[in-house]
Amino acid sequence: AAGTTTPLATYTSSSGATPHTNPIVLDSSGRVPGGELWLTNSTVYKFALYDSTNVLIGTYDNITGINASGQQTDAALVTYNEGGAGAVTTTVRAKLQETVSVMDFGATGNGVTDDTAAIQAAATASKRLYFPAGTYLCNSALFNGVPVSQGLYWYGEKRGGLDQVDGTVIKYTGSAICFKFQQANGSSDNGAMVFENFTFEATSATAGMFQFNDPALTPVPTDTGTTPAFIREVRFNGCSFWGAGSATQGDAIKGVKLFELVVDESCQFRGWRRGIWLYGCDNNTLSGRYSGNGRNIQIESAGTFGNDNLITARFLGYVSNFGEASYCFYDAGNHTTIIGPDLEPSNSATA
């Protein structure tokens, strides 16, 4: 027993049916007879190791089994193997880290606690993040003017309905922009980001949700290095965007030199000054449903940019007056293709 010389039983298997002899004599290979050594749960042991001439090599006190009650074992020390043909052994820690949840870093999703810092810490640790169902209150911006995170993939359990109580909701209560990505000036590009199964909600009339580069910086040819580098391959799957509604000045998504943006057919936009505003952006595909925005979609060219955008929206619905002329769809781009949307302009709007 720990701290004493009193013998305690150890066992040849997990059943605890057959005890080892005490002392245990190792075989010629230095192994325990039978190959296994099991300890009694909740019992603390002391081991003394002797050589073949009975000379003490060392003592090891306060030893417990890995499943002993109240004890903890580092997951990096426990191996895992899937068991199939060709499976490679790894550690439990490495296996668990294949799925990183924001709750691993203290996010609560209770709609009351500010989860901004916890989500930022999780984003620093892993680009692939899982958000269980809940409302993640963010009183401050999650990304504030930083370059895009190559390969970022955030996924929720599911987006909520109109009542927003049963899905994964990121609720931004700040007055600026929740996700603000800003590339350095130059001609390189970066991107490959995915957001899937979220409801994004802004509560302030001045708040925006996503900004990819600053619209105040007019896009010019890339070789000048005087405007931001390209952002490429951003995708939204199954997301809802709810703006503040009354007198809002915020936009759900706005971008400059944003190429290959994809908004899938199940996305929804409501209550924004502009649902999507693209300024000098090429080769984007916008589907989804839009209603109750000042301008559902706005596309503008800038210099050589603003070309070949595809609009496959399922519904371009009624619009609201948020301080500027209202449009179901505002197109000032080049070679824009529109396929099959259901248009529902109101008396105050232009299609």
Side-chain angles (χ1 to χ4, degrees):
T4 74
T5 58
T6 303
L8 288 176
T10 61
Y11 297 91
T12 61
S13 70
S14 60
S15 67
T18 304
H20 279 288
T21 60
N22 196 353
I24 300 170
V25 179
L26 305 182
D27 64 21
S28 60
S29 298
R31 296 185 176 90
V32 173
E36 295 184 8
L37 177 66
W38 291 83
L39 310 183
T40 302
N41 193 27
S42 302
T43 300
V44 185
Y45 289 75
K46 176 182 177 181
F47 284 85
L49 182 64
Y50 294 84
D51 67 12
S52 60
T53 62
N54 207 34
V55 175
L56 180 67
I57 297 174
T59 58
Y60 307 89
D61 210 348
N62 298 308
I63 305 298
T64 61
I66 62 171
N67 294 318
S69 176
Q71 302 299 317
Q72 296 181 349
T73 300
D74 190 338
L77 302 178
V78 183
T79 60
Y80 168 83
N81 187 290
E82 190 276 336
V88 177
T89 298
T90 182
T91 66
V92 170
R93 173 183 290 178
K95 184 62 180 176
L96 292 173
Q97 286 177 336
E98 291 177 7
T99 300
V100 179
S101 167
V102 291
M103 289 189 172
D104 295 337
F105 291 82
T108 64
N110 63 14
V112 177
T113 304
D114 184 0
D115 286 327
T116 304
I119 294 173
Q120 289 172 331
T124 299
S126 176
K127 292 183 178 182
R128 183 182 178 93
L129 288 180
Y130 171 56
F131 290 70
T135 297
Y136 297 87
L137 185 68
C138 296
N139 294 334
S140 304
L142 290 173
F143 295 90
N144 188 15
V146 300
V148 298
S149 182
Q150 181 86 23
L152 182 147
Y153 178 47
W154 286 16
Y155 60 107
E157 185 169 326
K158 62 178 180 177
R159 70 174 179 195
L162 290 177
D163 56 5
Q164 304 173 3
V165 298
D166 60 346
T168 300
V169 182
I170 292 182
K171 185 174 184 178
Y172 177 53
T173 61
S175 59
I177 298 168
C178 189
F179 297 82
K180 185 177 181 181
F181 298 103
Q182 182 65 44
Q183 295 296 85
N185 289 351
S187 58
S188 62
D189 57 57
N190 208 337
M193 296 192 294
V194 177
F195 298 89
E196 186 169 1
N197 297 336
F198 287 98
T199 292
F200 297 105
E201 179 188 5
T203 62
S204 170
T206 62
M209 192 55 64
F210 285 87
Q211 177 176 299
F212 300 96
N213 286 329
D214 188 350
L217 302 174
T218 302
V220 296
T222 58
D223 58 0
T224 66
T226 59
T227 56
F230 297 106
I231 298 175
R232 292 185 179 273
E233 300 177 4
V234 177
R235 186 177 184 98
F236 294 92
N237 299 327
C239 295
S240 295
F241 299 79
W242 306 126
S246 179
T248 185
Q249 295 300 303
D251 306 316
I253 299 173
K254 58 183 173 183
V256 175
K257 292 175 72 173
L258 174 60
F259 288 11
E260 293 110 32
L261 166 70
V262 176
V263 175
D264 84 353
E265 66 278 0
S266 59
C267 289
Q268 303 178 63
F269 297 79
R270 183 179 297 177
W272 303 93
R273 181 186 68 152
R274 298 169 184 174
I276 298 179
W277 174 26
L278 301 180
Y279 181 46
C281 302
D282 293 355
N283 303 311
N284 301 291
T285 302
L286 309 180
S287 189
R289 299 176 63 88
Y290 306 76
S291 61
N293 306 293
R295 298 181 180 183
N296 289 320
I297 299 173
Q298 178 166 323
I299 295 176
E300 297 179 77
S301 62
T304 59
F305 301 114
N307 310 304
D308 304 314
N309 292 292
L310 174 63
I311 311 301
T312 62
R314 297 167 58 196
F315 182 68
L316 292 173
Y318 73 92
V319 293
S320 301
N321 188 341
F322 292 144
E324 62 181 358
S326 301
Y327 293 88
C328 270
F329 173 53
Y330 181 103
D331 181 24
N334 301 314
H335 314 299
T336 303
T337 300
I338 306 175
I339 300 176
D342 182 6
L343 296 174
E344 186 189 47
S346 66
N347 292 335
S348 62
T350 302

